[in-house]
Amino acid sequence: MTLCVAWKTENRISLASDSRVCFDNGGHADVGIKVVALDVRVLSADELSPGTFAVLYQHTWGLCFAGNFCAAYSVREFLSGFMANLQYAGVKADFNMEDLCGLILEFYKRTTIELSLPLKENGEFELVLTGFCPASAKTRAFRFIFEWDDLKRMKTPHFKEILTDSAYYFFGKGTADAEQAYLAGKESRIDCRMLSSIRTVIKSKAHPSVGGSIQCGGFEGDEFYVYGIQESFKDDDGLLVMQSTYKGHTMQGQFNVLTMGKFIGKIIYLVPFLDDIGS
């Protein structure tokens, strides 16, 4: 499973999760990538020159999921190529985010149904997508989920907008504990308090399917970026140690630098737990 959250501060939407992937044999690994940037590009039907089309829409969305990792990975990988190569049957961008989500729903439904046949409910996963809507000219967030119909006879897939009535949306495992930690948090910045709530559930070990490091991403303007996280902890000698993680992996080196031979990885790191450093 996993623990995820989407939240909004003013007009900025962010996503965060843990990094744990669980297996049928009871084991787990803390290397699951669950917060992802997704490029979306829509070309016009108007051909500017042979083989060249006008770009109607080009933005980077954010994606986060909880549930069956195999199903979510399949959908994520499909969308990563497909959504960057769309063509619209028109010459103006008179579509909205619901139109794009309706397209995504078909692949979400197909993949989940295929995996649910052998795995039953264990083949399901919940997906949250957030991106810039060309119709409303603002960032919006939608969740994709299978839910029972009114008669409780059949589960049907659908998508629904979130972060309209509430400023945050927890999903996955440990949501009640995470929300309680968030509401009880003392951090003045909402982003820090939200990430701290995820860390509280991870450290509690009350939910075996939630663990590893925190992953996080958010919007800079109209584009979504995935960030690294820098945390502090005390080693066996009681010394304060800074640990940098990115997409579930511990990075050797700090402050945007990972040295691998002749290459340096440039990563934007957030430092949300400054109280730990001060203490």
Side-chain angles (χ1 to χ4, degrees):
M1 197 59 173
T2 199
L3 171 62
C4 300
V5 63
W7 74 95
K8 180 165 61 175
T9 52
E10 297 180 352
N11 294 322
R12 185 175 186 271
I13 296 176
S14 302
L15 302 173
S17 77
D18 70 328
S19 303
R20 180 153 295 178
V21 180
C22 296
F23 307 104
D24 291 339
N25 63 2
H28 66 263
D30 295 330
V31 294
I33 300 174
K34 304 174 185 179
V35 176
V36 181
L38 178 69
D39 291 328
V40 181
R41 185 183 66 161
V42 182
L43 301 180
S44 168
D46 185 21
E47 195 171 24
L48 300 177
S49 62
T52 303
F53 298 87
V55 177
L56 295 179
Y57 178 94
Q58 187 166 9
H59 288 284
T60 303
W61 289 12
L63 180 154
C64 188
F65 62 85
N68 185 283
F69 189 82
C70 178
Y73 178 83
S74 297
V75 171
R76 186 191 78 188
E77 285 301 297
F78 180 85
L79 294 179
S80 67
F82 184 77
M83 295 302 291
N85 293 282
L86 298 176
Q87 188 169 26
Y88 186 60
V91 295
K92 293 183 179 180
D94 55 350
F95 54 86
N96 57 29
M97 200 166 172
E98 285 90 342
D99 295 326
L100 294 168
C101 285
L103 180 63
I104 293 170
L105 180 65
E106 293 302 312
F107 302 106
Y108 171 78
K109 175 172 63 176
R110 183 183 306 173
T111 302
T112 306
I113 289 176
E114 286 291 327
L115 281 172
S116 294
L117 291 174
L119 299 176
K120 307 301 180 185
E121 291 187 355
N122 290 331
E124 297 177 9
F125 72 101
E126 184 171 356
L127 174 70
V128 165
L129 282 166
T130 178
F132 179 79
C133 177
S136 61
K138 64 180 182 180
T139 54
R140 302 167 67 191
F142 291 80
R143 70 167 184 155
F144 293 72
I145 193 170
F146 267 75
E147 288 186 327
W148 291 105
D149 59 21
D150 294 338
L151 298 177
K152 303 294 183 181
R153 293 179 178 176
M154 180 182 297
K155 278 190 170 183
T156 57
H158 67 272
F159 66 89
K160 180 180 180 181
E161 188 169 7
I162 59 174
L163 305 182
T164 55
D165 300 325
S166 175
Y168 59 87
Y169 176 66
F170 287 100
F171 60 106
K173 291 290 187 181
T175 56
D177 291 344
E179 183 173 21
Q180 182 179 12
Y182 168 73
L183 295 175
K186 304 300 183 182
E187 295 85 356
S188 58
R189 292 189 59 188
I190 299 299
D191 291 350
C192 296
R193 194 190 315 169
M194 195 62 73
L195 294 175
S196 181
S197 70
I198 299 288
R199 187 174 70 157
T200 296
V201 177
I202 291 173
K203 286 189 171 184
S204 73
K205 299 183 179 180
H207 304 275
S209 62
V210 178
S213 60
I214 299 171
Q215 301 175 36
C216 178
F219 281 89
E220 302 291 341
D222 299 328
E223 310 302 323
F224 187 88
Y225 294 87
V226 178
Y227 306 121
I229 296 285
Q230 285 191 334
E231 299 183 62
S232 61
F233 62 92
K234 290 184 178 180
D235 62 15
D236 295 337
D237 297 324
L239 299 176
L240 193 66
V241 178
M242 290 292 294
Q243 176 176 279
S244 303
T245 59
Y246 179 66
K247 293 189 175 183
H249 292 271
T250 300
M251 312 297 277
Q252 300 302 318
Q254 299 175 7
F255 306 108
N256 304 355
V257 178
L258 169 63
T259 302
M260 296 181 294
K262 298 181 179 179
F263 299 95
I264 295 176
K266 297 289 289 182
I267 299 168
I268 300 173
Y269 285 103
L270 304 182
V271 189
F273 310 121
L274 290 175
D275 289 345
D276 292 351
I277 300 174
S279 62

